[in-house]
C-alpha cells in the first residue's frame, strides 16, 4: 500500500465550470456495520460501472483500510494508493464488484459529520461530505445507488437499529441485536442514515390518499417522549398538505425521525429516516415557546417535503444546492402560511431575510444563489442558498401564476424522478408549463450576487387621466462581479385613492435598467403601493415619510402596511442616530407615536399583525442602512425610542397587556399564540419605560415557557436583585433540561445590561457550557455575536472572546467555528478603531496553525 501526504496549505477551489460526470457509478451498495464506539467495522460491497475513462478514485477520510478485493480477488499493496482523502485503483475493469473493510472510531468524531456518538448511541450526518468518513465511496450527489444495510450492536447499550427505507428483518443473537434495512429508491450517499441507540418512540400511522398505511415513529431519548406529540401532529399535517397542494404522496412503508442532542444543523432529510436536532422535535408548553412550536412544525414540514424535492429528485452537484433547499424552503413557507396567518408569516420571513441575507449580500461574503466556486461546501449552507433561493422560486410562481407553477412542479418531478437535476432543469419545467412567459432572465438571480435597488419616478397627466411609473434598477458590485445585468423583477402593485381604496392592481414585470408603465382612466393622482407581499427581494428606495405614513395607515395589503411602518421607523430612528452623533437631545417622532397609537387601537382586529407592527426595526437592520455603523448610537436611540413610547402610551400598552394572552397554558392555537405575542410586545415597552413590576409578576406566575422567557428577557436587561433572582430560579428549575438551559445562556448573551460582556466571558467557563454541543455554542457565543452593542464593545474584548471560541472549535468542529467568523464580515463598515480591532482578530484567526478549510475560507474572504 502506498501512502501519500496532503497539506492543509493546498487550498484549491472547486469550480462549477469544471464539472464532469463521475468516472464510475455505483448501482448497488451493501453495507455491514459491526458497531463499537471505539472501533466500528464497516464492510462495503459496491457494484461499479464505468461512465468515463480514468482510474477508480473513491473519497475517504479517517478510514483505516483492513481489506480490499475486486471480484473476490485480494489486492496487493502495489495495486492501490491511499492518502488522507482518497483511495485510488488504476487498473480496473469497466464493471466489477469492490469489497472493502475499514475501521472507524465514532467516539473520536467531534466534527459530527459521518458516524458519531451522542447521547445514548450512534448517529450519522452525511450531507454534504460525511459518508466518506464511513467508507470509501464516490461521495458526490450524482452517484445514486440502492442501499442494503445490516447493523449489529450490543443489545444492552444499543437496542434500536434504524436506517433508510423499509425494515426487512431484525433479531438478537448472543447479546447482540441485528437489523436489516433496504431502500428501494436510488439515492446519493449524502442521504444515507444510521441510528443505533437506546431510544424510545412515539408511534402513529398515516393513511395516504391512495389508501396505503405508513408507520410513523419519532425516536428520542428515554424521558423525552412526552414532548413529541406536537412534532407527530405536524408531520401528519405536512404529509396531508403535500398530497393536497402538490399531489405528492409518501412512497415508503415507514417514516422515522430520530432526535439527537449534538447536531450541527437543524435536521437532515435522509430518505425514510430523518435525523433531527432535538431543538426541532421536542416541545411542550412548559419547555418550549410559541416560536419554538412554530419552528418545530416548520422544520418537520421542511424535512418531510424534501422526500420529493431533495430525495426523489436531488441536485446533480453541490452548486445546485438551492435547487433542493430554496425550493423546499418555499414549500415550507407556503405550508406555514396555510397553518397560521399568511400575512404575518410573510412578515416574519422578510424580516429574517433583510436582517441576515441582505447584510450578507452587501459584504465580502456575498455569493450568488448558485455559487461559481467554493473551497468548503459546508460554508455555503447560507441564507442566500435557502431564503433567497426560496424568493427566486416565489418570483417564478408570481410570474407564471399558481396553476402553471403547480403544473411545472409536476413536470419537474416526473422528468427527474429518482435522478439528479440542475437549476436549468427546474426552470425548463416551469418554462414548459408557461410558454407565454419568457423565464430565461430569471437565471440571473442564480448567477449574480447582490440585492437590487429599485427607485421609482411618478408622473400624473390630469388632462389625459394617465398615471405613469418609471422604474430603474441597480445592483452594487459584489466580490468577483463588478458588472451587473438587469434582473427579472415582478412588481406586484396597486394604486390607491385618497381614501386607501384600490383603483388598480397588477403585477408588472421589470426586466430593463429603466422601464415605464402607464395606467389610464385615473381621475386623480393615486398613491402607488409597490412590491406587495414582497414580490421580489429588492430594496425600494426613495419613498418619502409622508408616503410611508399614508401607506402604513391605509394600504390594503397587510405586508405593505407593516413594511411602510418599518421603513418610516427606520428613517426617524436613523435621523435620531445622526442627532445623537451631533450631540443633540433625543426627541420622539410624533408620526411614529401616532402610528404606534393607531396600531394599539386596532389591535383587537388582528393581534398577530399588531404584535409584528409594534416591533421596531432591529439594530442590525438600522446598521445596514448606515454608511459607517455606530453600534452604540443605534442601540441608545432604539432603547430611548422604546422607553419614550412606553411612557407616552403606558395606559394603552397596559390595556393591551391586560386584554390579551391569557389563554390556557397548553393552548397552542394561532389565536392563542397571537394573543401572547401582543401581550409580550406590550410588556417589552412597559419594561423599557422602567416598569419591571409586571415582568417580575409574570415570571413568578407564568404557566408556559413563552411568558416565562418573555418576562426573563425583560428582567435580564436590568442589573439588580430581581434579575439575579429570576436567573437563579430559572437555572434551578431547568439546569437538567438541555434545550431550556440553552435559553438561559442565550437570554444573558442577548441582554442590553451594561455587564453583559463580563457575564458572557464568565459563562464560557460555566460548568454547563459544553463546547462539544453546537446548540450550547450557538446559544451563548452566536447570540452574543448578534448583540451588536455588546459584541462591538470599543475595547475589542468581544472580538477576543469570539476569536478564542473559533480557535478552540476549529480543531474539533470546524463547521461551527467557520459560521462564527461571519460576525466579523462587515468590519470595513465600522469606525477606524473597530476596523483595526476586527481586522486584527481575523488575521489572528488566519494565523492559527493547521486551520481548517472551513474557517480559512470564511476568514480569508472577510479580509479580501
Amino acid at each position: 500500500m502506498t501512502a501519500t501526504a496532503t497539506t492543509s496549505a493546498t487550498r484549491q477551489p472547486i469550480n462549477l465550470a469544471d464539472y464532469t460526470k463521475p468516472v464510475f457509478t455505483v448501482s448497488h451498495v451493501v453495507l455491514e456495520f459491526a458497531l463499537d464506539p471505539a472501533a466500528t467495522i464497516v464492510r462495503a460491497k459496491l457494484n461499479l460501472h464505468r461512465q468515463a475513462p480514468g482510474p477508480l478514485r473513491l473519497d475517504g477520510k479517517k478510514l483505516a483500510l483492513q481489506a480490499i478485493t475486486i471480484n473476490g480477488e485480494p489486492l496487493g499493496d502495489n495495486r492501490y494508493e491511499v492518502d488522507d482523502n482518497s483511495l485510488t485503483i488504476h487498473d480496473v475493469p469497466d464493471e466489477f464488484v469492490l469489497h472493502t473493510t475499514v475501521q472507524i472510531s465514532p467516539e473520536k468524531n467531534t466534527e459530527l459529520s459521518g458516524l458519531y456518538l451522542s447521547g445514548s448511541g450512534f448517529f450519522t450526518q452525511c450531507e454534504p461530505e460525511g459518508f466518506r468518513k464511513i467508507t470509501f465511496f464516490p461521495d458526490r450527489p450524482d452517484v445514486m445507488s440502492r442501499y442494503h444495510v445490516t447493523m449489529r450492536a450490543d443489545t444492552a447499550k444499543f437496542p434500536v437499529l434504524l436506517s433508510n427505507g423499509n425494515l426487512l428483518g431484525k433479531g438478537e443473537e448472543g447479546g447482540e441485536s441485528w437489523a436489516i434495512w433496504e431502500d428501494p429508491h436510488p439515492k446519493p450517499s449524502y442521504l444515507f442514515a444510521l441510528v443505533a441507540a437506546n431510544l424510545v418512540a412515539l408511534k402513529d400511522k398515516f393513511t395516504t390518499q391512495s389508501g396505503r398505511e405508513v408507520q410513523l415513529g419519532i425516536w428520542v431519548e428515554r424521558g423525552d417522549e412526552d414532548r413529541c406529540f406536537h412534532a407527530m401532529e405536524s408531520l401528519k399535517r405536512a404529509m396531508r398538505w403535500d398530497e393536497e397542494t402538490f399531489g405528492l404522496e409518501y412512497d415508503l412503508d415507514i417514516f422515522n425521525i430520530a432526535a439527537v442532542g449534538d447536531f450541527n444543523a437543524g435536521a437532515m432529510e435522509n430518505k425514510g429516516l430523518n435525523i433531527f436536532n432535538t431543538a426541532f422535535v421536542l416541545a411542550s408548553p412548559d419547555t418550549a415557546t410559541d416560536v419554538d412550536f412554530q419552528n418545530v412544525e416548520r422544520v418537520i414540514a421542511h424535512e418531510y417535503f424534501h422526500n420529493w424535492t431533495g430525495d426523489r429528485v436531488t441536485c446533480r452537484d453541490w452548486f445546485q444546492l438551492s435547487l433542493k433547499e430554496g425550493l423546499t424552503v418555499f414549500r415550507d413557507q407556503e405550508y406555514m402560511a396555510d397553518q397560521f396567518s399568511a400575512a404575518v408569516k410573510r412578515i416574519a420571513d422578510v424580516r429574517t431575510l433583510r436582517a441576515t441575507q441582505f447584510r450578507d449580500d452587501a459584504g465580502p461574503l456575498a455569493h450568488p444563489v448558485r455559487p461559481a466556486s467554493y473551497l468548503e461546501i459546508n460554508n455555503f449552507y447560507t441564507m442566500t442558498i435557502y431564503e433567497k433561493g426560496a424568493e427566486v422560486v416565489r418570483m417564478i410562481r408570481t410570474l407564471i401564476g399558481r396553476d402553471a407553477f403547480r403544473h411545472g412542479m409536476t413536470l419537474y418531478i416526473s422528468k427527474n424522478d429518482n435522478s439528479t437535476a440542475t437549476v436549468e432543469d427546474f426552470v425548463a419545467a416551469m418554462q414548459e408549463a408557461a410558454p407565454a412567459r419568457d423565464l430565461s432572465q430569471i437565471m440571473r438571480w442564480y448567477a449574480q450576487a447582490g440585492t437590487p435597488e429599485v427607485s421609482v419616478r411618478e408622473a400624473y397627466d390630469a388632462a389625459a387621466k394617465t398615471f405613469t411609473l418609471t422604474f430603474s434598477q441597480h445592483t452594487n458590485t459584489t466580490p468577483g462581479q463588478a458588472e451587473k445585468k438587469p434582473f427579472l423583477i415582478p412588481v406586484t402593485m396597486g394604486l390607491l385613492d385618497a381614501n386607501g381604496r384600490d383603483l388598480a392592481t397588477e403585477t408588472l414585470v421589470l426586466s430593463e435598467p429603466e422601464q415605464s408603465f402607464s395606467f389610464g382612466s385615473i381621475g386623480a393622482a393615486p398613491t402607488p403601493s409597490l412590491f406587495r407581499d414582497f414580490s421580489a427581494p429588492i430594496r425600494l428606495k426613495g419613498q418619502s415619510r409622508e408616503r410611508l405614513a399614508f401607506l402604513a395607515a391605509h394600504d390594503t395589503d397587510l405586508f405593505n402596511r407593516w413594511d411602510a411602518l418599518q421603513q418610516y421607523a427606520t428613517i426617524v430612528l436613523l435621523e435620531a442616530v445622526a442627532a445623537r452623533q451631533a450631540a443633540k437631545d433625543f426627541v420622539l417622532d410624533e408620526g411614529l407615536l401616532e402610528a404606534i397609537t393607531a396600531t394599539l387601537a386596532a389591535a383587537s382586529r388582528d393581534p398577530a399583525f399588531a404584535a409584528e407592527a409594534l416591533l421596531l426595526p432591529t439594530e442590525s437592520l438600522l446598521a445596514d442602512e448606515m454608511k459607517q455603523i455606530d453600534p452604540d448610537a443605534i442601540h441608545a436611540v432604539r432603547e430611548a425610542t422604546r422607553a419614550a413610547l412606553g411612557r407616552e402610551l403606558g395606559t394603552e400598552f397596559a390595556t393591551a397587556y391586560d386584554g390579551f394572552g391569557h389563554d390556557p397554558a397548553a393552548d397552542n392555537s394561532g389565536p392563542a399564540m397571537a394573543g401572547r405575542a401582543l401581550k409580550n410586545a406590550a410588556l417589552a415597552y412597559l419594561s423599557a419605560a422602567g416598569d419591571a413590576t409586571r415582568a417580575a409578576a409574570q415570571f413568578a406566575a407564568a404557566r408556559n415557557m413563552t411568558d416565562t422567557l418573555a418576562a426573563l428577557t425583560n428582567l435580564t436587561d436590568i442589573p439588580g436583585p430581581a434579575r439575579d433572582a429570576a436567573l437563579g430560579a430559572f437555572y434551578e428549575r431547568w439546569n437538567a433540561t438541555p434545550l431550556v438551559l440553552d435559553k438561559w445562556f442565550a437570554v444573558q448573551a442577548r441582554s442590553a445590561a451594561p455587564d453583559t460582556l463580563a457575564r458572557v466571558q464568565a459563562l464560557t467557563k460555566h460548568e454547563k457550557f459544553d463546547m462539544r454541543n453546537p446548540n450550547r455554542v450557538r446559544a451563548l457565543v452566536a447570540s452574543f455575536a448578534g448583540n451588536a452593542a455588546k459584541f462591538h464593545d470599543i475595547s475589542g474584548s468581544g472580538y477576543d472572546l469570539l476569536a478564542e471560541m473559533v480557535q478552540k472549535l476549529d480543531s474539533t468542529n470546524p463547521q461551527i467555528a467557520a459560521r462564527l467568523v461571519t460576525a466579523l464580515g462587515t468590519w470595513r463598515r465600522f469606525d477606524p478603531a473597530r476596523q483595526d480591532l476586527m481586522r486584527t482578530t481575523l488575521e489572528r484567526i488566519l494565523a492559527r496553525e493547521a486551520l481548517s478549510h472551513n474557517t480559512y475560507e470564511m476568514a480569508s474572504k472577510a479580509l479580501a
Side-chain angles (χ1 to χ4, degrees):
M1 180 171 63
T2 303
T4 60
T6 61
T7 67
S8 60
T10 304
R11 305 182 190 272
Q12 296 298 323
I14 297 171
N15 302 307
L16 172 60
D18 297 335
Y19 172 83
T20 57
K21 65 182 181 181
V23 175
F24 283 91
T25 59
V26 183
S27 59
H28 291 83
V29 180
V30 177
L31 296 173
E32 296 181 9
F33 290 85
L35 293 162
D36 179 87
T40 288
I41 302 299
V42 184
R43 296 179 176 86
K45 173 187 173 184
L46 313 182
N47 288 63
L48 290 135
H49 310 270
R50 184 182 294 277
Q51 282 202 124
L56 173 67
R57 183 189 179 280
L58 303 178
D59 300 299
K61 295 185 71 174
K62 300 182 180 179
L63 307 176
L65 182 62
Q66 295 187 336
I68 180 169
T69 70
I70 288 182
N71 294 333
E73 177 188 349
L75 298 188
D77 291 352
N78 62 339
R79 294 281 305 279
Y80 62 91
E81 299 171 359
V82 177
D83 61 26
D84 290 347
N85 297 297
S86 64
L87 163 67
T88 303
I89 310 173
H90 288 281
D91 298 318
V92 294
D94 291 343
E95 293 192 358
F96 61 97
V97 177
L98 176 73
H99 284 84
T100 61
T101 301
V102 302
Q103 178 177 301
I104 58 178
S105 180
E107 69 181 12
K108 294 181 180 178
N109 183 354
T110 61
E111 296 180 5
L112 311 184
S113 172
L115 180 66
Y116 65 93
L117 290 180
S118 176
S120 68
F122 298 87
F123 295 84
T124 56
Q125 171 57 25
C126 292
E127 185 178 355
E129 296 177 341
F131 193 72
R132 66 190 62 190
K133 300 172 186 176
I134 295 174
T135 191
F136 288 107
F137 197 81
D139 190 14
R140 45 190 287 173
D142 55 357
V143 175
M144 299 186 69
S145 316
R146 289 181 168 84
Y147 283 69
H148 181 99
V149 179
T150 302
M151 295 176 284
R152 297 182 182 276
D154 185 327
T155 301
K157 296 179 179 178
F158 315 111
V160 175
L161 304 176
L162 306 173
S163 192
N164 309 88
N166 295 319
L167 179 65
L168 300 186
K170 64 179 181 177
E172 182 184 350
E173 298 172 355
E176 189 174 66
S177 293
W178 61 268
I180 301 173
W181 292 80
E182 186 171 77
D183 189 347
H185 297 282
K187 65 174 178 284
S189 53
Y190 82 83
L191 290 173
F192 171 77
L194 175 156
V195 172
N198 186 13
L199 304 176
V200 293
L202 173 65
K203 296 186 177 181
D204 207 333
K205 298 176 182 178
F206 179 82
T207 302
T208 68
Q209 61 185 0
S210 66
R212 288 190 309 106
E213 189 173 89
V214 180
Q215 302 297 317
L216 307 178
I218 298 180
W219 298 84
V220 295
E221 296 286 349
R222 197 171 301 277
D224 287 336
E225 57 269 32
D226 62 342
R227 293 195 280 160
C228 298
F229 294 104
H230 177 66
M232 181 63 79
E233 292 304 309
S234 298
L235 173 60
K236 291 188 292 184
R237 281 194 293 270
M239 295 176 80
R240 185 66 66 207
W241 184 89
D242 217 16
E243 291 179 341
E244 295 172 350
T245 306
F246 288 106
L248 298 174
E249 180 178 309
Y250 187 62
D251 53 354
L252 292 172
D253 300 330
I254 299 172
F255 186 88
N256 281 318
I257 291 172
V260 58
D262 299 302
F263 204 70
N264 283 339
M268 180 61 210
E269 69 267 19
N270 316 297
K271 183 73 176 176
L273 175 56
N274 286 188
I275 297 180
F276 268 64
N277 188 322
T278 51
F280 298 104
V281 171
L282 305 180
S284 61
D286 60 329
T287 63
T289 66
D290 290 341
V291 172
D292 294 331
F293 271 89
Q294 291 186 349
N295 282 336
V296 167
E297 181 147 12
R298 174 182 59 83
V299 178
I300 289 281
H302 179 95
E303 302 307 327
Y304 173 74
F305 295 155
H306 267 313
N307 184 63
W308 285 96
T309 52
D311 294 0
R312 284 287 288 264
V313 181
T314 194
C315 47
R316 184 197 71 180
D317 52 70
W318 291 121
F319 296 101
Q320 320 296 328
L321 181 57
S322 190
L323 179 64
K324 73 181 186 76
E325 295 300 348
L327 176 56
T328 306
V329 168
F330 168 77
R331 278 157 44 73
D332 81 52
Q333 289 175 347
E334 289 296 288
Y335 167 79
M336 292 296 287
D338 285 348
Q339 308 310 307
F340 301 95
S341 164
V344 170
K345 171 60 178 168
R346 189 66 179 137
I347 288 167
D349 290 340
V350 173
R351 178 184 277 117
T352 300
L353 184 81
R354 286 173 169 167
T356 53
Q357 197 282 320
F358 275 25
R359 178 195 60 210
D360 292 346
D361 252 352
L365 301 178
H367 62 84
V369 173
R370 182 168 67 178
S373 67
Y374 62 81
L375 185 64
E376 171 53 64
I377 185 56
N378 280 296
N379 289 338
F380 281 90
Y381 285 74
T382 63
M383 292 290 291
T384 298
I385 298 293
Y386 282 68
E387 267 65 23
K388 187 175 182 180
E391 293 300 318
V392 177
V393 174
R394 185 178 298 274
M395 285 190 291
I396 292 173
R397 189 186 66 176
T398 299
L399 289 163
I400 69 176
R402 288 178 178 269
D403 291 343
F405 184 83
R406 165 69 187 268
H407 180 45
M409 282 287 293
T410 301
L411 289 171
Y412 168 65
I413 289 172
S414 64
K415 289 174 179 288
N416 299 285
D417 193 15
N418 282 322
S419 186
T420 65
T422 63
V423 168
E424 285 82 0
D425 294 322
F426 177 72
V427 174
M430 295 297 159
Q431 185 68 81
E432 184 177 345
R437 171 70 71 192
D438 182 4
L439 293 176
S440 58
Q441 198 174 340
I442 204 75
M443 292 302 298
R444 291 178 186 169
W445 284 99
Y446 288 101
Q448 295 184 155
T451 303
E453 296 180 351
V454 176
S455 56
V456 188
R457 301 194 307 274
E458 304 170 18
Y460 177 67
D461 186 331
K465 294 186 177 181
T466 60
F467 181 70
T468 301
L469 292 172
T470 300
F471 293 86
S472 59
Q473 60 166 297
H474 168 76
T475 306
N476 292 324
T477 295
T478 57
Q481 293 184 335
E483 299 294 328
K484 303 288 186 179
K485 296 180 179 179
F487 286 94
L488 187 66
I489 301 176
V491 185
T492 300
M493 51 80 68
L495 297 179
L496 303 175
D497 67 13
N499 297 313
R501 292 189 295 263
D502 278 320
L503 300 172
T505 58
E506 189 175 342
T507 295
L508 311 174
V509 180
L510 177 61
S511 59
E512 302 296 333
E514 184 169 289
Q515 267 176 279
S516 295
F517 303 88
S518 294
F519 304 85
S521 302
I522 305 296
T527 298
S529 166
L530 304 174
F531 294 97
R532 288 183 160 183
D533 205 36
F534 202 61
S535 60
I538 60 91
R539 295 179 186 269
L540 180 59
K541 310 297 286 187
Q543 296 202 94
S544 68
R545 291 173 61 158
E546 295 73 23
R547 168 67 52 81
L548 292 170
F550 177 84
L551 293 172
H554 300 290
D555 204 325
T556 57
D557 182 80
L558 274 183
F559 174 85
N560 270 23
R561 185 181 296 178
W562 166 83
D563 195 30
L565 180 53
Q566 286 286 298
Q567 298 305 319
Y568 182 93
T570 298
I571 290 172
V572 301
L573 288 172
L574 289 175
E575 288 177 351
V577 168
R580 178 182 175 84
Q581 291 172 327
K584 296 180 180 178
D585 292 336
F586 172 80
V587 178
L588 179 63
D589 180 78
E590 286 296 325
L592 181 59
L593 176 62
E594 291 174 8
I596 298 298
T597 303
T599 299
L600 285 167
S604 60
R605 293 203 295 266
D606 191 341
F609 175 78
E612 290 287 346
L614 288 173
L615 298 177
L616 295 177
T618 63
E619 292 181 26
S620 64
L621 283 171
L622 296 171
D624 286 345
E625 297 297 324
M626 295 186 70
K627 186 174 182 180
Q628 184 179 103
I629 299 170
D630 186 340
D632 297 326
I634 290 172
H635 177 72
V637 162
R638 190 174 185 275
E639 290 303 294
T641 304
R642 291 175 66 237
L645 288 168
R647 288 191 298 270
E648 291 288 334
L649 299 174
T651 300
E652 290 85 350
F653 280 120
T655 299
Y657 180 82
D658 294 336
F660 293 92
H662 302 287
D663 304 279
D667 186 351
N668 289 309
S669 65
M673 288 185 177
R676 285 191 289 269
L678 180 55
K679 176 185 72 176
N680 288 317
L683 177 65
Y685 277 102
L686 292 168
S687 299
D691 179 8
T693 56
R694 281 185 174 83
Q698 178 169 308
F699 181 80
R703 297 167 297 152
N704 59 68
M705 184 53 67
T706 300
D707 288 345
T708 298
L709 193 64
L712 183 63
T713 297
N714 286 292
L715 293 172
T716 306
D717 284 343
I718 307 170
R723 175 190 71 174
D724 296 341
L727 287 170
F730 192 93
Y731 181 83
E732 182 67 23
R733 173 70 178 85
W734 297 111
N735 72 83
T737 307
L739 292 178
V740 184
L741 190 59
D742 287 338
K743 301 179 189 301
W744 182 81
F745 278 96
V747 75
Q748 296 178 78
R750 296 179 182 131
S751 171
D755 60 348
T756 292
L757 174 57
R759 292 182 71 87
V760 171
Q761 290 169 327
L763 286 169
T764 64
K765 299 174 176 60
H766 193 279
E767 63 176 348
K768 292 288 187 177
F769 180 68
D770 185 357
M771 291 279 286
R772 298 167 298 177
N773 181 259
N775 286 348
R776 192 58 46 84
V777 172
R778 284 186 284 258
L780 181 62
V781 184
S783 294
F784 175 66
N787 185 347
K790 306 306 174 185
F791 175 64
H792 293 291
D793 185 90
I794 194 60
S795 68
S797 297
Y799 310 145
D800 291 340
L801 185 149
L802 185 79
E804 179 186 353
M805 295 295 105
V806 168
Q807 290 174 328
K808 286 181 178 179
L809 279 166
D810 188 67
S811 59
T812 58
N813 194 330
Q815 286 187 44
I816 301 300
R819 290 169 190 171
L820 293 176
V821 172
T822 60
L824 300 168
T826 56
W827 64 273
R828 286 184 175 85
R829 298 189 55 217
F830 286 82
D831 57 89
R834 287 186 172 93
Q835 283 189 33
D836 288 343
L837 291 167
M838 295 169 80
R839 184 182 62 250
T840 301
T841 302
L842 286 165
E843 291 169 347
R844 187 162 79 249
I845 290 171
L846 280 171
R848 182 182 184 275
E849 291 186 10
L851 189 68
S852 70
H853 280 7
N854 308 63
T855 304
Y856 172 83
E857 181 173 34
M858 301 307 281
S860 60
K861 283 186 174 180
L863 278 174

